[in-house]
CSV table of all heavy atoms in Angstrom, one decimal:
chain,number,residue,atom,x,y,z
A,1,ARG,N,-43.8,-8.4,-0.5
A,1,ARG,CA,-42.7,-7.8,-1.2
A,1,ARG,C,-43.1,-7.4,-2.7
A,1,ARG,O,-42.3,-7.1,-3.5
A,1,ARG,CB,-41.5,-8.8,-1.3
A,1,ARG,CG,-41.0,-9.1,0.1
A,1,ARG,CD,-40.6,-7.9,0.9
A,1,ARG,NE,-40.8,-8.1,2.3
A,1,ARG,CZ,-40.8,-7.2,3.3
A,1,ARG,NH1,-40.5,-6.0,2.9
A,1,ARG,NH2,-41.0,-7.5,4.5
A,2,ASN,N,-44.4,-7.5,-3.0
A,2,ASN,CA,-44.9,-7.0,-4.2
A,2,ASN,C,-45.1,-5.5,-4.1
A,2,ASN,O,-45.8,-5.1,-3.3
A,2,ASN,CB,-46.2,-7.7,-4.6
A,2,ASN,CG,-46.7,-7.4,-5.9
A,2,ASN,OD1,-46.7,-6.2,-6.4
A,2,ASN,ND2,-47.2,-8.4,-6.6
A,3,ARG,N,-44.3,-4.8,-4.8
A,3,ARG,CA,-44.3,-3.3,-4.6
A,3,ARG,C,-45.6,-2.7,-4.9
A,3,ARG,O,-45.8,-1.5,-4.6
A,3,ARG,CB,-43.2,-2.7,-5.5
A,3,ARG,CG,-43.4,-2.7,-7.0
A,3,ARG,CD,-42.3,-1.8,-7.6
A,3,ARG,NE,-42.4,-1.8,-9.1
A,3,ARG,CZ,-41.6,-2.5,-9.9
A,3,ARG,NH1,-40.6,-3.2,-9.4
A,3,ARG,NH2,-41.8,-2.4,-11.2
A,4,HIS,N,-46.5,-3.4,-5.5
A,4,HIS,CA,-47.9,-2.9,-5.8
A,4,HIS,C,-48.9,-3.3,-4.8
A,4,HIS,O,-50.1,-3.2,-5.1
A,4,HIS,CB,-48.3,-3.3,-7.2
A,4,HIS,CG,-47.4,-2.8,-8.3
A,4,HIS,ND1,-47.1,-1.5,-8.5
A,4,HIS,CD2,-46.6,-3.5,-9.2
A,4,HIS,CE1,-46.2,-1.4,-9.6
A,4,HIS,NE2,-45.9,-2.6,-10.0
A,5,TRP,N,-48.5,-3.9,-3.7
A,5,TRP,CA,-49.5,-4.5,-2.8
A,5,TRP,C,-50.6,-3.5,-2.4
A,5,TRP,O,-51.7,-3.9,-2.3
A,5,TRP,CB,-48.8,-5.1,-1.6
A,5,TRP,CG,-48.2,-4.0,-0.6
A,5,TRP,CD1,-46.9,-3.6,-0.5
A,5,TRP,CD2,-48.9,-3.3,0.4
A,5,TRP,NE1,-46.8,-2.6,0.4
A,5,TRP,CE2,-48.0,-2.5,1.1
A,5,TRP,CE3,-50.2,-3.3,0.9
A,5,TRP,CZ2,-48.3,-1.6,2.1
A,5,TRP,CZ3,-50.6,-2.5,1.9
A,5,TRP,CH2,-49.7,-1.6,2.5
A,6,GLU,N,-50.2,-2.3,-2.1
A,6,GLU,CA,-51.2,-1.3,-1.7
A,6,GLU,C,-52.2,-1.0,-2.8
A,6,GLU,O,-53.4,-0.8,-2.5
A,6,GLU,CB,-50.5,-0.1,-1.1
A,6,GLU,CG,-51.5,0.8,-0.4
A,6,GLU,CD,-50.8,1.8,0.5
A,6,GLU,OE1,-49.6,2.1,0.3
A,6,GLU,OE2,-51.4,2.3,1.5
A,7,ASP,N,-51.7,-0.9,-4.0
A,7,ASP,CA,-52.6,-0.6,-5.2
A,7,ASP,C,-53.6,-1.8,-5.3
A,7,ASP,O,-54.7,-1.6,-5.6
A,7,ASP,CB,-51.8,-0.5,-6.4
A,7,ASP,CG,-50.9,0.7,-6.5
A,7,ASP,OD1,-51.2,1.7,-5.7
A,7,ASP,OD2,-49.9,0.7,-7.2
A,8,PHE,N,-53.1,-3.0,-5.1
A,8,PHE,CA,-53.9,-4.2,-5.2
A,8,PHE,C,-55.0,-4.2,-4.1
A,8,PHE,O,-56.2,-4.3,-4.4
A,8,PHE,CB,-53.1,-5.5,-5.1
A,8,PHE,CG,-52.2,-5.7,-6.2
A,8,PHE,CD1,-50.9,-6.3,-6.0
A,8,PHE,CD2,-52.5,-5.3,-7.5
A,8,PHE,CE1,-50.1,-6.5,-7.1
A,8,PHE,CE2,-51.6,-5.6,-8.6
A,8,PHE,CZ,-50.4,-6.1,-8.3
A,9,PHE,N,-54.6,-4.0,-2.9
A,9,PHE,CA,-55.6,-3.9,-1.8
A,9,PHE,C,-56.5,-2.8,-1.9
A,9,PHE,O,-57.8,-2.9,-1.7
A,9,PHE,CB,-54.8,-3.8,-0.4
A,9,PHE,CG,-54.1,-5.1,0.0
A,9,PHE,CD1,-53.1,-5.1,0.9
A,9,PHE,CD2,-54.5,-6.3,-0.6
A,9,PHE,CE1,-52.5,-6.2,1.3
A,9,PHE,CE2,-53.8,-7.5,-0.2
A,9,PHE,CZ,-52.8,-7.4,0.8
A,10,ASP,N,-56.1,-1.6,-2.4
A,10,ASP,CA,-57.0,-0.5,-2.6
A,10,ASP,C,-58.0,-0.8,-3.6
A,10,ASP,O,-59.2,-0.4,-3.5
A,10,ASP,CB,-56.2,0.8,-2.9
A,10,ASP,CG,-55.4,1.4,-1.8
A,10,ASP,OD1,-55.7,1.0,-0.6
A,10,ASP,OD2,-54.5,2.2,-2.0
A,11,ARG,N,-57.6,-1.4,-4.7
A,11,ARG,CA,-58.5,-1.7,-5.8
A,11,ARG,C,-59.6,-2.7,-5.3
A,11,ARG,O,-60.8,-2.6,-5.6
A,11,ARG,CB,-57.8,-2.3,-7.0
A,11,ARG,CG,-58.7,-2.6,-8.2
A,11,ARG,CD,-59.3,-1.3,-8.8
A,11,ARG,NE,-58.2,-0.4,-9.2
A,11,ARG,CZ,-57.7,-0.4,-10.5
A,11,ARG,NH1,-58.2,-1.2,-11.4
A,11,ARG,NH2,-56.8,0.5,-10.8
A,12,LEU,N,-59.2,-3.7,-4.5
A,12,LEU,CA,-60.2,-4.7,-3.9
A,12,LEU,C,-61.1,-4.0,-3.0
A,12,LEU,O,-62.3,-4.3,-2.9
A,12,LEU,CB,-59.4,-5.8,-3.3
A,12,LEU,CG,-58.6,-6.7,-4.2
A,12,LEU,CD1,-57.8,-7.7,-3.3
A,12,LEU,CD2,-59.6,-7.5,-5.1
A,13,ILE,N,-60.6,-3.0,-2.2
A,13,ILE,CA,-61.4,-2.3,-1.3
A,13,ILE,C,-62.4,-1.4,-2.0
A,13,ILE,O,-63.6,-1.4,-1.6
A,13,ILE,CB,-60.5,-1.4,-0.3
A,13,ILE,CG1,-59.7,-2.3,0.6
A,13,ILE,CG2,-61.4,-0.4,0.5
A,13,ILE,CD1,-58.6,-1.6,1.3
A,14,GLU,N,-62.0,-0.8,-3.1
A,14,GLU,CA,-62.9,0.0,-3.9
A,14,GLU,C,-64.0,-0.9,-4.5
A,14,GLU,O,-65.2,-0.5,-4.5
A,14,GLU,CB,-62.2,0.6,-5.1
A,14,GLU,CG,-61.2,1.8,-4.7
A,14,GLU,CD,-60.4,2.3,-5.8
A,14,GLU,OE1,-60.7,1.9,-7.0
A,14,GLU,OE2,-59.4,3.0,-5.6
A,15,LEU,N,-63.7,-2.1,-5.0
A,15,LEU,CA,-64.7,-3.0,-5.5
A,15,LEU,C,-65.7,-3.4,-4.4
A,15,LEU,O,-66.9,-3.5,-4.7
A,15,LEU,CB,-64.1,-4.2,-6.2
A,15,LEU,CG,-63.3,-4.0,-7.4
A,15,LEU,CD1,-62.5,-5.3,-7.8
A,15,LEU,CD2,-64.2,-3.5,-8.6
A,16,LYS,N,-65.2,-3.6,-3.3
A,16,LYS,CA,-66.0,-4.0,-2.1
A,16,LYS,C,-66.9,-2.9,-1.7
A,16,LYS,O,-68.2,-3.1,-1.5
A,16,LYS,CB,-65.1,-4.4,-1.0
A,16,LYS,CG,-65.8,-4.8,0.3
A,16,LYS,CD,-64.8,-5.1,1.4
A,16,LYS,CE,-65.4,-5.4,2.7
A,16,LYS,NZ,-64.4,-5.7,3.8
A,17,GLU,N,-66.4,-1.7,-1.5
A,17,GLU,CA,-67.2,-0.6,-1.0
A,17,GLU,C,-68.1,0.0,-2.0
A,17,GLU,O,-69.2,0.5,-1.7
A,17,GLU,CB,-66.2,0.5,-0.4
A,17,GLU,CG,-65.3,0.0,0.7
A,17,GLU,CD,-66.1,-0.4,1.9
A,17,GLU,OE1,-67.2,0.1,2.2
A,17,GLU,OE2,-65.6,-1.3,2.7
A,18,ASN,N,-67.7,0.1,-3.3
A,18,ASN,CA,-68.5,0.8,-4.3
A,18,ASN,C,-69.4,-0.1,-5.0
A,18,ASN,O,-70.5,0.3,-5.5
A,18,ASN,CB,-67.5,1.5,-5.3
A,18,ASN,CG,-66.7,2.5,-4.6
A,18,ASN,OD1,-67.0,3.1,-3.6
A,18,ASN,ND2,-65.5,2.8,-5.2
A,19,GLU,N,-69.1,-1.4,-5.2
A,19,GLU,CA,-69.9,-2.3,-6.1
A,19,GLU,C,-70.4,-3.5,-5.3
A,19,GLU,O,-71.1,-4.3,-5.9
A,19,GLU,CB,-69.1,-2.7,-7.3
A,19,GLU,CG,-68.7,-1.5,-8.2
A,19,GLU,CD,-68.0,-1.9,-9.5
A,19,GLU,OE1,-68.6,-2.9,-10.1
A,19,GLU,OE2,-67.0,-1.4,-9.8
A,20,GLY,N,-69.9,-3.7,-4.1
A,20,GLY,CA,-70.4,-4.9,-3.4
A,20,GLY,C,-69.7,-6.2,-3.8
A,20,GLY,O,-70.1,-7.3,-3.5
A,21,ILE,N,-68.6,-6.0,-4.6
A,21,ILE,CA,-67.8,-7.2,-5.0
A,21,ILE,C,-66.8,-7.6,-3.9
A,21,ILE,O,-65.8,-7.0,-3.8
A,21,ILE,CB,-67.1,-7.0,-6.4
A,21,ILE,CG1,-68.2,-6.7,-7.4
A,21,ILE,CG2,-66.3,-8.2,-6.7
A,21,ILE,CD1,-67.5,-6.4,-8.8
A,22,GLN,N,-67.2,-8.5,-3.1
A,22,GLN,CA,-66.4,-8.8,-1.9
A,22,GLN,C,-65.7,-10.2,-2.1
A,22,GLN,O,-66.4,-11.1,-2.4
A,22,GLN,CB,-67.3,-8.8,-0.6
A,22,GLN,CG,-66.5,-9.0,0.7
A,22,GLN,CD,-67.3,-8.7,1.9
A,22,GLN,OE1,-68.4,-8.1,1.8
A,22,GLN,NE2,-66.8,-9.1,3.0
A,23,VAL,N,-64.4,-10.2,-1.9
A,23,VAL,CA,-63.7,-11.4,-2.1
A,23,VAL,C,-63.1,-11.9,-0.8
A,23,VAL,O,-62.9,-11.1,0.2
A,23,VAL,CB,-62.6,-11.2,-3.2
A,23,VAL,CG1,-63.2,-10.9,-4.5
A,23,VAL,CG2,-61.6,-10.2,-2.7
A,24,SER,N,-62.7,-13.2,-0.8
A,24,SER,CA,-62.0,-13.8,0.3
A,24,SER,C,-60.7,-14.3,-0.2
A,24,SER,O,-60.6,-14.9,-1.2
A,24,SER,CB,-62.8,-15.0,0.9
A,24,SER,OG,-64.1,-14.6,1.4
A,25,LEU,N,-59.6,-13.9,0.5
A,25,LEU,CA,-58.3,-14.1,0.0
A,25,LEU,C,-57.4,-14.9,1.0
A,25,LEU,O,-57.4,-14.7,2.2
A,25,LEU,CB,-57.6,-12.8,-0.3
A,25,LEU,CG,-58.2,-11.8,-1.2
A,25,LEU,CD1,-57.4,-10.5,-1.3
A,25,LEU,CD2,-58.3,-12.4,-2.6
A,26,ILE,N,-56.6,-15.8,0.4
A,26,ILE,CA,-55.4,-16.4,1.1
A,26,ILE,C,-54.2,-15.9,0.4
A,26,ILE,O,-54.1,-15.9,-0.8
A,26,ILE,CB,-55.5,-18.0,0.9
A,26,ILE,CG1,-56.8,-18.5,1.5
A,26,ILE,CG2,-54.3,-18.6,1.6
A,26,ILE,CD1,-57.0,-20.0,1.2
A,27,ILE,N,-53.3,-15.4,1.2
A,27,ILE,CA,-52.0,-14.8,0.7
A,27,ILE,C,-50.8,-15.4,1.4
A,27,ILE,O,-51.0,-16.0,2.5
A,27,ILE,CB,-52.0,-13.3,0.8
A,27,ILE,CG1,-52.0,-12.8,2.2
A,27,ILE,CG2,-53.1,-12.7,0.0
A,27,ILE,CD1,-51.7,-11.3,2.4
A,28,GLN,N,-49.7,-15.3,0.8
A,28,GLN,CA,-48.4,-15.7,1.4
A,28,GLN,C,-47.5,-14.5,1.7
A,28,GLN,O,-47.4,-13.6,0.8
A,28,GLN,CB,-47.7,-16.7,0.5
A,28,GLN,CG,-48.5,-17.9,0.1
A,28,GLN,CD,-47.7,-18.9,-0.8
A,28,GLN,OE1,-47.1,-19.9,-0.3
A,28,GLN,NE2,-47.7,-18.7,-2.1
A,29,VAL,N,-46.9,-14.5,2.9
A,29,VAL,CA,-46.1,-13.3,3.3
A,29,VAL,C,-44.9,-13.8,4.0
A,29,VAL,O,-44.7,-15.0,4.3
A,29,VAL,CB,-46.9,-12.4,4.2
A,29,VAL,CG1,-48.1,-11.8,3.5
A,29,VAL,CG2,-47.4,-13.1,5.5
A,30,ASP,N,-44.0,-12.8,4.3
A,30,ASP,CA,-42.8,-13.2,5.0
A,30,ASP,C,-43.0,-12.7,6.5
A,30,ASP,O,-44.0,-12.2,6.9
A,30,ASP,CB,-41.5,-12.5,4.4
A,30,ASP,CG,-41.6,-11.0,4.4
A,30,ASP,OD1,-42.1,-10.4,5.3
A,30,ASP,OD2,-41.1,-10.4,3.4
A,31,THR,N,-41.9,-13.0,7.3
A,31,THR,CA,-42.0,-12.7,8.7
A,31,THR,C,-41.8,-11.3,9.1
A,31,THR,O,-41.9,-10.9,10.3
A,31,THR,CB,-41.1,-13.6,9.5
A,31,THR,OG1,-39.7,-13.3,9.1
A,31,THR,CG2,-41.3,-15.1,9.3
A,32,GLN,N,-41.5,-10.4,8.1
A,32,GLN,CA,-41.3,-9.0,8.4
A,32,GLN,C,-42.5,-8.1,7.9
A,32,GLN,O,-42.4,-6.9,8.0
A,32,GLN,CB,-40.0,-8.5,7.7
A,32,GLN,CG,-38.7,-9.2,8.2
A,32,GLN,CD,-38.5,-8.9,9.6
A,32,GLN,OE1,-38.4,-7.7,10.0
A,32,GLN,NE2,-38.3,-9.9,10.5
A,33,CYS,N,-43.5,-8.8,7.4
A,33,CYS,CA,-44.6,-8.0,6.8
A,33,CYS,C,-45.3,-7.1,7.8
A,33,CYS,O,-45.8,-6.0,7.4
A,33,CYS,CB,-45.6,-9.0,6.2
A,33,CYS,SG,-46.4,-10.1,7.4
A,34,HIS,N,-45.3,-7.4,9.1
A,34,HIS,CA,-45.9,-6.5,10.1
A,34,HIS,C,-45.3,-5.2,10.2
A,34,HIS,O,-45.9,-4.2,10.8
A,34,HIS,CB,-46.0,-7.2,11.4
A,34,HIS,CG,-44.6,-7.4,12.0
A,34,HIS,ND1,-43.7,-8.3,11.5
A,34,HIS,CD2,-44.0,-6.9,13.1
A,34,HIS,CE1,-42.6,-8.3,12.2
A,34,HIS,NE2,-42.8,-7.5,13.2
A,35,ARG,N,-44.0,-5.1,9.7
A,35,ARG,CA,-43.3,-3.8,9.8
A,35,ARG,C,-43.7,-2.8,8.7
A,35,ARG,O,-43.4,-1.6,8.8
A,35,ARG,CB,-41.8,-4.0,9.7
A,35,ARG,CG,-41.2,-4.8,10.9
A,35,ARG,CD,-39.7,-5.0,10.7
A,35,ARG,NE,-39.1,-5.6,11.9
A,35,ARG,CZ,-38.6,-4.9,12.9
A,35,ARG,NH1,-38.7,-3.6,12.8
A,35,ARG,NH2,-38.0,-5.5,13.9
A,36,ILE,N,-44.4,-3.3,7.7
A,36,ILE,CA,-44.9,-2.4,6.6
A,36,ILE,C,-46.1,-1.6,7.1
A,36,ILE,O,-47.1,-2.3,7.4
A,36,ILE,CB,-45.2,-3.2,5.4
A,36,ILE,CG1,-44.0,-4.1,4.9
A,36,ILE,CG2,-45.6,-2.3,4.2
A,36,ILE,CD1,-44.3,-5.1,3.8
A,37,PRO,N,-46.1,-0.3,7.1
A,37,PRO,CA,-47.2,0.4,7.6
A,37,PRO,C,-48.5,0.1,6.8
A,37,PRO,O,-48.5,0.1,5.6
A,37,PRO,CB,-46.8,1.9,7.3
A,37,PRO,CG,-45.3,1.8,7.4
A,37,PRO,CD,-44.9,0.5,6.8
A,38,ASN,N,-49.6,-0.2,7.5
A,38,ASN,CA,-50.9,-0.4,7.0
A,38,ASN,C,-51.1,-1.7,6.2
A,38,ASN,O,-52.2,-2.0,5.7
A,38,ASN,CB,-51.3,0.7,6.0
A,38,ASN,CG,-51.4,2.1,6.7
A,38,ASN,OD1,-51.9,2.1,7.9
A,38,ASN,ND2,-51.0,3.1,6.1
A,39,PHE,N,-50.0,-2.6,6.1
A,39,PHE,CA,-50.1,-3.8,5.3
A,39,PHE,C,-51.2,-4.7,5.9
A,39,PHE,O,-52.1,-5.2,5.2
A,39,PHE,CB,-48.8,-4.5,5.3
A,39,PHE,CG,-48.8,-5.8,4.4
A,39,PHE,CD1,-48.7,-5.7,3.0
A,39,PHE,CD2,-49.0,-7.0,5.0
A,39,PHE,CE1,-48.8,-6.8,2.2
A,39,PHE,CE2,-49.1,-8.1,4.2
A,39,PHE,CZ,-49.0,-8.0,2.8
A,40,ILE,N,-51.1,-5.0,7.2
A,40,ILE,CA,-52.1,-5.9,7.8
A,40,ILE,C,-53.5,-5.4,7.8
A,40,ILE,O,-54.5,-6.1,7.5
A,40,ILE,CB,-51.6,-6.3,9.2
A,40,ILE,CG1,-50.3,-7.2,9.1
A,40,ILE,CG2,-52.7,-7.1,10.0
A,40,ILE,CD1,-49.7,-7.6,10.4
A,41,ALA,N,-53.6,-4.1,8.2
A,41,ALA,CA,-54.9,-3.5,8.2
A,41,ALA,C,-55.6,-3.5,6.9
A,41,ALA,O,-56.8,-3.8,6.7
A,41,ALA,CB,-54.8,-2.0,8.7
A,42,LYS,N,-54.9,-3.1,5.8
A,42,LYS,CA,-55.5,-3.1,4.5
A,42,LYS,C,-55.7,-4.5,4.0
A,42,LYS,O,-56.6,-4.8,3.2
A,42,LYS,CB,-54.6,-2.3,3.5
A,42,LYS,CG,-54.7,-0.8,3.7
A,42,LYS,CD,-54.3,-0.1,2.5
A,42,LYS,CE,-54.6,1.4,2.6
A,42,LYS,NZ,-54.3,2.2,1.4
A,43,ALA,N,-54.9,-5.5,4.4
A,43,ALA,CA,-55.1,-6.9,4.0
A,43,ALA,C,-56.4,-7.4,4.5
A,43,ALA,O,-57.2,-8.0,3.8
A,43,ALA,CB,-53.9,-7.8,4.5
A,44,GLN,N,-56.7,-7.0,5.8
A,44,GLN,CA,-58.0,-7.5,6.3
A,44,GLN,C,-59.1,-6.8,5.6
A,44,GLN,O,-60.2,-7.4,5.3
A,44,GLN,CB,-58.0,-7.1,7.8
A,44,GLN,CG,-59.3,-7.5,8.5
A,44,GLN,CD,-59.5,-6.7,9.8
A,44,GLN,OE1,-59.1,-5.6,10.0
A,44,GLN,NE2,-60.2,-7.4,10.7
A,45,TRP,N,-59.0,-5.5,5.4
A,45,TRP,CA,-60.1,-4.7,4.7
A,45,TRP,C,-60.3,-5.3,3.3
A,45,TRP,O,-61.5,-5.3,2.8
A,45,TRP,CB,-59.7,-3.3,4.7
A,45,TRP,CG,-60.8,-2.3,4.4
A,45,TRP,CD1,-62.1,-2.6,4.2
A,45,TRP,CD2,-60.7,-0.9,4.2
A,45,TRP,NE1,-62.9,-1.5,3.9
A,45,TRP,CE2,-62.0,-0.4,3.9
A,45,TRP,CE3,-59.7,0.0,4.3
A,45,TRP,CZ2,-62.3,1.0,3.7
A,45,TRP,CZ3,-59.9,1.4,4.1
A,45,TRP,CH2,-61.2,1.8,3.8
A,46,ALA,N,-59.3,-5.7,2.6
A,46,ALA,CA,-59.4,-6.1,1.3
A,46,ALA,C,-60.0,-7.5,1.2
A,46,ALA,O,-60.5,-8.0,0.1
A,46,ALA,CB,-58.0,-6.1,0.6
């Protein structure tokens, strides 16, 4: 429900792909998160 979630994941993906700064994340979500387009896919990529 953070309205900037995609910006956050995109920035982490950029750091990973462009600079090799790869992080491991634990996040908290609600039971409706799977309905958000690309949320789970980008979470994994990030």
Side-chain angles (χ1 to χ4, degrees):
R1 300 305 146 189
N2 188 316
R3 67 169 179 257
H4 301 300
W5 69 264
E6 193 162 20
D7 295 334
F8 294 144
F9 287 160
D10 285 345
R11 185 65 61 90
L12 292 173
I13 292 167
E14 289 174 11
L15 291 173
K16 175 182 175 180
E17 300 296 331
N18 298 335
E19 300 185 44
I21 299 177
Q22 186 168 345
V23 298
S24 300
L25 302 175
I26 302 172
I27 63 173
Q28 302 183 96
V29 297
D30 61 37
T31 59
Q32 297 294 305
C33 59
H34 64 294
R35 292 179 174 273
I36 303 174
N38 297 323
F39 182 83
I40 291 179
K42 285 203 171 182
Q44 181 200 29
W45 195 3

